[in-house]
Amino acid sequence: MGAIGDIDVRALAPYLAEAAPGLGRVLGLDKFATGQSNPTYKLRCDTRTYVLRAKPPGVLLKSAHQVGREYRVMKALEASAVPVPRMLHMAEDAASPFGRAFFIMELVEGPIYWDPAMPEADAARRAGVYDAMNQTLAALHDVVPGDAGLAEFGRPGQYFSRQTDRWSQQYTASKLQENADMERLMAWLTEAMPPEDGPEGGQVALVHGDFRLDNMIFDAKDPRVAALLDWELSTLGHPLADLAYQCMQWRLPHQGGMRGLGGLDRAALGIPSEADYVARYCERRGIAEPENWTFYLAFSFFRLAAILTGVVRRAHDGNASNPETARSYAAAIPLLAGAACALIDEAPQ
């Protein structure tokens, strides 16, 4: 066994034999082709197969790629109604045999749907999958952070203000060229900021941060979520951030690599409308339907554009997990920023 990507399996095997002997003897490591942020591998041992997820190499942006946070939140949710893989081992940077933090979790088997139109499924399956996603999102936001040991997982209150500031800084530090729509968005979001979402309003929840169809593994038979993955951006925040982020998918084009639902006959496909999806979520949680929906959607478009800017920058600097895919995201950034500005222009004044 030698190096797989940038991980030396010869160093990993003796480390795990001492630090996590219950995993068994390491036989090999295979990199998953998907994933842009934290490199993810199939870890084959003589007992069973696991998943290893690590920080990427190179110089990283501040507060990015915190695999320790992913491990902590999934470990805390193992006893909840939110489906997550079982966490098995965590190694911080200083302890890692290859110098970068990583964790190991169980391998959950089942289909992942990369296309939100789910062409491989029938209408009944699509309807069930979308309802299962809705149920999982409501269950996540019903988790009381303190009860799960996550009271200190983030700062309560002013979520959108802090996130707008954070992603504006990340975008500015990562951008390779100017984009007038992104500049306009950063200014508009600051001006249109809704009232503080603090404990007084009951709006502090555990948010996933990247809640979308292809970050879930589904049961092969029943339309239920078997595992919700990719918790790198999770924190304490406003639950409508997750809801609006997922609802971007209804508004993005289906063509051009964006994998949206725009232009499709969703009713014929068995996929609910955005309005019905939002209403079902609110019904499940016993809350009123959201006001300021334009703000939440525009924020979501901006945030995703800022995230992709960082991915493109890592590809430019030679540190991306999948460089070719990362470079293709460069075309998506102006599309997202333009869509957000169109939302602002169309909103009632």
Side-chain angles (χ1 to χ4, degrees), residues 28 32 160 188 269 288:
F32 285 102
F160 288 106
W188 184 87
L269 290 171

Side-chain angles (χ1 to χ4, degrees), residues 37-159:
S37 184
N38 295 323
T40 307
Y41 304 82
K42 186 176 288 188
L43 174 65
R44 292 181 284 109
C45 296
D46 59 357
T47 54
R48 59 185 299 182
T49 300
Y50 308 97
V51 172
L52 183 151
R53 189 160 163 88
K55 276 185 180 180
V59 178
L60 306 178
L61 290 172
K62 181 182 178 182
S63 76
H65 311 283
Q66 298 189 57
V67 295
R69 287 181 65 81
E70 289 193 271
Y71 179 89
R72 178 184 173 190
V73 68
M74 286 190 279
K75 185 73 174 176
L77 291 173
E78 284 179 358
S80 76
V82 183
V84 291
R86 190 162 57 95
M87 298 294 104
L88 302 170
H89 181 73
M90 176 72 212
E92 298 292 351
D93 290 332
S96 170
F98 48 91
R100 290 178 288 112
F102 71 92
F103 67 84
I104 297 171
M105 60 185 172
E106 72 169 329
L107 173 67
V108 178
E109 300 282 5
I112 297 175
Y113 298 109
W114 300 101
D115 185 335
M118 297 174 58
E120 64 270 59
D122 59 21
R125 175 72 178 183
R126 293 186 197 103
V129 162
Y130 273 78
D131 191 61
M133 280 196 296
N134 190 289
Q135 182 181 35
T136 297
L137 187 60
L140 170 62
H141 295 158
D142 280 341
V143 170
V144 178
D147 292 350
L150 295 170
E152 306 300 322
F153 196 63
R155 290 170 52 194
Q158 295 184 306
Y159 173 78

Side-chain angles (χ1 to χ4, degrees), residues 268-289:
L269 290 171
I271 296 172
S273 67
E274 177 188 310
D276 288 343
Y277 191 86
V278 171
R280 185 69 179 109
Y281 166 87
C282 294
E283 179 185 348
R284 279 191 159 112
R285 298 203 62 225
I287 62 174
E289 294 195 26

Side-chain angles (χ1 to χ4, degrees), residues 83-85 108-110 216-219 224-228:
V84 291
V108 178
E109 300 282 5
M216 299 173 216
I217 299 171
F218 289 85
D219 184 86
R224 65 176 180 84
V225 179
L228 175 57

Side-chain angles (χ1 to χ4, degrees), residues 18-348:
E18 180 176 349
L23 297 180
R25 183 169 59 88
V26 174
L27 300 178
L29 194 68
D30 307 302
K31 191 174 186 296
F32 285 102
T34 56
Q36 281 301 316
S37 184
N38 295 323
T40 307
Y41 304 82
K42 186 176 288 188
L43 174 65
R44 292 181 284 109
C45 296
D46 59 357
T47 54
R48 59 185 299 182
T49 300
Y50 308 97
V51 172
L52 183 151
R53 189 160 163 88
K55 276 185 180 180
V59 178
L60 306 178
L61 290 172
K62 181 182 178 182
S63 76
H65 311 283
Q66 298 189 57
V67 295
R69 287 181 65 81
E70 289 193 271
Y71 179 89
R72 178 184 173 190
V73 68
M74 286 190 279
K75 185 73 174 176
L77 291 173
E78 284 179 358
S80 76
V82 183
V84 291
R86 190 162 57 95
M87 298 294 104
L88 302 170
H89 181 73
M90 176 72 212
E92 298 292 351
D93 290 332
S96 170
F98 48 91
R100 290 178 288 112
F102 71 92
F103 67 84
I104 297 171
M105 60 185 172
E106 72 169 329
L107 173 67
V108 178
E109 300 282 5
I112 297 175
Y113 298 109
W114 300 101
D115 185 335
M118 297 174 58
E120 64 270 59
D122 59 21
R125 175 72 178 183
R126 293 186 197 103
V129 162
Y130 273 78
D131 191 61
M133 280 196 296
N134 190 289
Q135 182 181 35
T136 297
L137 187 60
L140 170 62
H141 295 158
D142 280 341
V143 170
V144 178
D147 292 350
L150 295 170
E152 306 300 322
F153 196 63
R155 290 170 52 194
Q158 295 184 306
Y159 173 78
F160 288 106
S161 177
R162 289 185 287 104
Q163 285 281 302
T164 298
D165 182 64
R166 172 192 174 184
W167 289 109
S168 294
Q169 292 183 38
Q170 298 271 36
Y171 168 75
T172 301
S174 301
K175 65 180 179 180
L176 294 171
Q177 59 187 30
E178 298 297 325
N179 184 303
D181 285 339
M182 287 294 283
E183 299 298 328
R184 179 189 175 194
L185 268 175
M186 289 187 284
W188 184 87
L189 289 168
T190 300
E191 291 295 324
M193 195 66 58
E196 179 183 356
D197 49 292
E200 304 83 0
Q203 292 296 311
V204 175
L206 178 62
V207 296
H208 180 273
D210 198 10
F211 193 88
R212 63 188 192 202
L213 178 65
D214 55 311
N215 275 336
M216 299 173 216
I217 299 171
F218 289 85
D219 184 86
K221 296 181 179 179
D222 299 324
R224 65 176 180 84
V225 179
L228 175 57
L229 306 173
D230 201 353
W231 292 81
E232 180 194 348
L233 298 173
S234 60
T235 188
L236 299 187
H238 199 297
L240 292 182
D242 274 343
L243 182 63
Y245 181 85
Q246 188 180 20
C247 285
M248 279 195 304
Q249 199 145 57
W250 273 259
R251 295 167 178 267
L252 292 171
H254 188 250
Q255 288 76 27
M258 291 303 298
R259 297 202 304 264
L261 292 168
L264 300 178
D265 187 343
R266 296 184 284 274
L269 290 171
I271 296 172
S273 67
E274 177 188 310
D276 288 343
Y277 191 86
V278 171
R280 185 69 179 109
Y281 166 87
C282 294
E283 179 185 348
R284 279 191 159 112
R285 298 203 62 225
I287 62 174
E289 294 195 26
E291 300 177 358
N292 299 319
W293 191 234
T294 296
F295 173 87
Y296 301 127
L297 285 171
F299 168 81
S300 297
F301 277 106
F302 160 72
R303 178 175 168 274
L304 179 56
I307 291 170
L308 294 185
T309 300
V311 175
V312 172
R313 181 57 181 259
R314 287 199 304 278
H316 178 270
D317 293 345
N319 296 326
S321 179
N322 290 292
E324 290 186 10
T325 303
R327 291 188 195 98
S328 73
Y329 287 164
I333 296 166
L335 188 152
L336 291 165
C341 288
L343 273 172
I344 294 169
D345 292 335
E346 293 166 6

